């Protein structure tokens, strides 16, 4: 899944998100599995418009970033691969993953 997630990230996400902690257009992905629960990440990837309309955390990010993340047409199974890729990224950079409790 990590191996499948990488090319999807490269093609559809890397223009706006880096893998370190630095914001470009959107937040850097370092630590994303430690600050957000897996289902929240999945929803953000597959249902970004609903999240930006209804989820307070997503709305706070929009206020910070001032750009609306566009829907990337990612399937649920591709989103699962990306989630695994994020877990691997956090494991490699921080030696810590899946710490989010809310
Ligand atoms: C055109 C720029 C853009 C692209 C492309 C993009 N995003 Fe985003 N993303 C954003 C912005 C901006 C935000 C912050 C919320 C907002 O302002 O809409 C965000 C927020 C997020 C978050 C929440 C991050 C956090 O720290 O909680 C996740 C997860 C995410 N994006 C995943 C993805 C994935 C996965 C892809 C590729 C499939 C992707 N994004 C493609 C701009 C983008």
């Amino acid at each position: 899944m990590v191996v499948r997630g990488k090319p999807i990230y490269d093609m559809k996400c890397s223009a706006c998100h880096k893998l370190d902690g630095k914001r470009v257009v959107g937040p850097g992905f370092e630590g994303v599995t430690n600050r957000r629960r897996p289902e929240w990440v999945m929803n953000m990837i597959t249902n970004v418009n609903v999240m930006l309309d209804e989820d307070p955390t997503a709305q706070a990010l929009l206020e910070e970033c001032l750009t609306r993340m566009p829907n990337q047409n990612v399937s649920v199974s591709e989103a699962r691969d990306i989630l695994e890729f994020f877990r691997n990224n956090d494991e490699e950079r921080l030696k810590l993953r899946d710490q989010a409790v809310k």
Side-chain angles (χ1 to χ4, degrees):
M1 288 171 100
V2 177
V3 171
R4 283 199 303 258
K6 167 100 171 57
I8 307 170
Y9 161 78
D10 286 341
M11 200 166 42
K12 295 193 159 178
C13 323
S14 64
C16 296
H17 296 275
K18 299 302 164 202
L19 295 176
D20 61 17
K22 293 192 196 76
R23 166 143 66 93
V24 187
V25 180
F29 284 143
E30 182 179 285
V32 72
T33 74
N34 296 324
R35 61 180 177 264
R36 315 281 181 232
R37 291 176 53 80
E39 52 273 32
W40 190 96
V41 173
M42 291 288 293
N43 281 335
M44 196 65 185
I45 302 173
T46 58
N47 270 310
V48 66
N49 286 320
V50 174
M51 290 294 273
L52 290 174
D53 288 345
E54 294 177 10
D55 182 88
T57 306
Q59 288 169 342
L61 287 175
L62 174 56
E63 261 175 47
E64 253 174 62
C65 298
L66 302 173
T67 306
R68 225 181 136 90
M69 173 167 147
N71 185 312
Q72 297 299 306
N73 291 309
V74 174
S75 71
V76 170
S77 98
E78 287 174 321
R80 264 306 267 119
D81 295 340
I82 296 172
L83 174 64
E84 229 42 52
F85 175 70
F86 288 168
R87 286 178 161 144
N88 185 255
N89 185 52
D90 285 346
E91 185 69 49
E92 282 182 353
R93 284 169 191 272
L94 307 170
K95 311 271 175 268
L96 204 64
R97 51 182 256 180
D98 296 326
Q99 299 296 304
V101 290
K102 59 171 178 96

